[in-house]
Amino acid sequence: MPASDAIRIEPRPFLRMVAGLLNRCPSWVASPTPDQNYLLARSPVGTRYIFQVLSHLSALDSALQDVLSARQAHRAEGVVLILLDQPQGASFSELAQAHGVQLWTLADMDYLVMAADLESNAPLAHLGLHTQQSSATITAPPAAAGASSTTSQG
């Protein structure tokens, strides 16, 4: 296919589509920033994320610095960069991971579409987003709780 026939995805409309899909997932709230360069989202457990769509992978390092600055400015805990093209080499992926930035490709977007279609957060958890509270507390097993209530009746 000649380059002139290639489909070009514009980042801002794509980011609005991501917001719409996230808003269809249970207890997610998402909206673009006023300049529409980023998307702010809050997960069901209150984790704040900032999303950015990158269509030109020629300036990945500066884009990474921009989104890290935006994370601080918007007080987000997580960062997701959606890459509309595959980066060449593993060095950028390693750099992003070292800064706690999640990289999504168009293939990963299938999980977001699935989450919106199913109105389920499970596919988002597969992508590494915080969707439910961790069970860090230890509780009594159900049988022990039931046994204590029967002894108090007798």
Side-chain angles (χ1 to χ4, degrees):
M1 175 190 307
S4 61
D5 292 341
I7 296 173
R8 177 165 160 73
I9 300 173
E10 294 294 326
R12 288 180 177 177
F14 192 83
L15 202 58
R16 287 192 299 272
M17 181 195 71
V18 171
L21 291 169
L22 278 171
N23 284 325
R24 289 179 51 197
C25 298
S27 303
W28 279 84
V29 178
S31 64
T33 57
D35 63 6
Q36 296 189 8
N37 289 327
Y38 303 100
L39 169 71
L40 297 176
R42 189 180 69 238
S43 77
V45 295
T47 304
R48 291 174 50 96
Y49 290 94
I50 190 161
F51 289 74
Q52 185 181 28
V53 175
L54 297 178
S55 60
H56 301 291
L57 300 184
S58 57
L60 286 174
D61 292 335
S62 65
L64 182 61
Q65 292 307 315
D66 289 346
V67 77
L68 291 173
S69 296
R71 173 177 66 183
Q72 186 175 9
H74 294 285
R75 290 179 247 128
E77 290 113 5
V79 177
V80 178
L81 284 178
I82 302 170
L83 307 176
L84 299 180
D85 199 1
Q86 291 285 59
Q88 301 302 317
S91 62
F92 179 73
S93 297
E94 292 169 0
L95 181 62
Q97 187 176 16
H99 287 286
V101 174
Q102 295 181 43
L103 299 178
W104 288 7
T105 63
L106 288 175
D108 294 320
M109 287 296 300
D110 284 344
Y111 287 97
L112 176 57
V113 171
M114 186 185 326
D117 285 346
L118 297 173
E119 295 182 5
S120 167
N121 286 324
L124 299 178
H126 175 78
L127 290 172
L129 301 182
H130 298 148
T131 60
Q132 59 184 331
Q133 295 284 1
S134 63
S135 55
T137 59
I138 300 173
T139 58
S148 65
S149 64
T150 57
T151 56
S152 62
Q153 290 176 355

